Amino acid sequence: MISPTTYVFFVSASLVLVLIPGPNHLYITARGLAQGRSAGLASAFGVEAGTLVHIVAAAAGLSYVISQSATLFALVKWAGVAYLIYLGIRAFTGKQEEGRTPPPQPLRKVFLEGVLVNVLNPKVALFFLAFLPQFVDPGAGSPALQVVVFGLTLLLLGLLSDIVYACAAGALGTRISRQTRALWYVSGVVYLGLGVATAFTGRK
C-alpha cells in the first residue's frame, strides 16, 4: 500500500508539473482556437486517453526498453515528428474561404488525433520512466500497480488542467472567429513547433 505521505508528496509535485504549460496544452489550445470549445475538449480527452497507453507501457517496462534502445526510440520519435509536421502543413495549406469558419473536423477525428499526438511523443514515455518510479516503494507492494495508481492520478490532474485550457481557448476562438485564416496559421505554427521540439528530443 502506498503511504499517505508519499501520495500527498506525489500529488503536490504533479500539480506543479501540470500547471506549467507544456506541449499538450499547446496542442489543445490550438484545437480550441481553430474549432471551438468542443474540439478543445475532444482533444483534451484524446490526449489523456493516450496517457493511458504510457501508463500501461511504464507499468510493463516498455518505457525502459524505448529509453535504452536507439532504434525503438528513433522509430517512435520520428513517427511523432512526421505526424506533427503533417498537421502543421495541413493547417497552412488546407482550403479556407475568406470570412467563413473552416469546415470543422468530426470530434471523433479530433479525439483520435489527440491520442496519436500523445502516444507518438517519446518525451512522455521518458517522463513516465523518470518521474513515476521515484515514488515507487518496492516494499509497498507490486511496483507495477503503484505505477498505475500514480499514473492515473497524474492523468486525472492533467485532464483537469487540459479542460481549463480547452475551455479558455474555445471561448477566445469564438470571440475572434472572424479571423479564420489567422486561427489556422496559429494552429499550424503550434503543430510545426511541436514537431521541431520533438525532433530535437535527445537520448541520454
Side-chain angles (χ1 to χ4, degrees), residues 134-192:
Q134 307 304 319
F135 300 89
V136 173
D137 179 5
S142 169
L145 180 58
Q146 292 180 63
V147 167
V148 170
V149 171
F150 287 134
L152 290 176
T153 300
L154 184 58
L155 183 154
L156 178 60
L157 295 174
L159 179 60
L160 294 175
S161 175
D162 293 343
I163 288 174
V164 172
Y165 275 86
C167 292
L172 180 61
T174 300
R175 291 183 180 182
I176 59 175
S177 59
R178 293 182 181 179
Q179 305 298 326
T180 55
R181 186 177 297 276
L183 290 177
W184 280 99
Y185 284 169
V186 169
S187 299
V189 169
V190 171
Y191 294 139
L192 290 175

Side-chain angles (χ1 to χ4, degrees), residues 24-181:
N24 288 344
H25 294 130
L26 293 177
Y27 170 74
I28 291 165
T29 298
R31 267 299 180 196
L33 286 173
Q35 197 173 325
R37 183 175 60 183
S38 295
L41 289 172
S43 65
F45 281 99
V47 164
E48 297 307 332
T51 299
L52 288 172
V53 176
H54 291 294
I55 293 173
V56 173
L62 181 58
S63 293
Y64 178 80
V65 173
I66 292 176
S67 71
Q68 296 299 310
S69 169
T71 301
L72 286 177
F73 183 86
L75 286 174
V76 175
K77 182 176 79 170
W78 290 110
V81 169
Y83 188 71
L84 289 168
I85 291 178
Y86 159 75
L87 291 178
I89 293 174
R90 189 183 65 181
F92 278 110
T93 61
K95 294 182 179 180
Q96 304 165 25
E97 297 183 25
E98 193 67 35
R100 295 186 182 182
T101 302
Q105 292 186 336
L107 294 183
R108 178 177 177 274
K109 186 173 182 180
V110 174
F111 174 84
L112 292 176
E113 283 186 352
V115 175
L116 289 175
V117 164
N118 200 9
V119 169
L120 295 178
N121 186 352
K123 293 180 69 175
V124 179
L126 293 177
F127 169 78
F128 272 82
L129 175 66
F131 184 64
L132 297 185
Q134 307 304 319
F135 300 89
V136 173
D137 179 5
S142 169
L145 180 58
Q146 292 180 63
V147 167
V148 170
V149 171
F150 287 134
L152 290 176
T153 300
L154 184 58
L155 183 154
L156 178 60
L157 295 174
L159 179 60
L160 294 175
S161 175
D162 293 343
I163 288 174
V164 172
Y165 275 86
C167 292
L172 180 61
T174 300
R175 291 183 180 182
I176 59 175
S177 59
R178 293 182 181 179
Q179 305 298 326
T180 55
R181 186 177 297 276

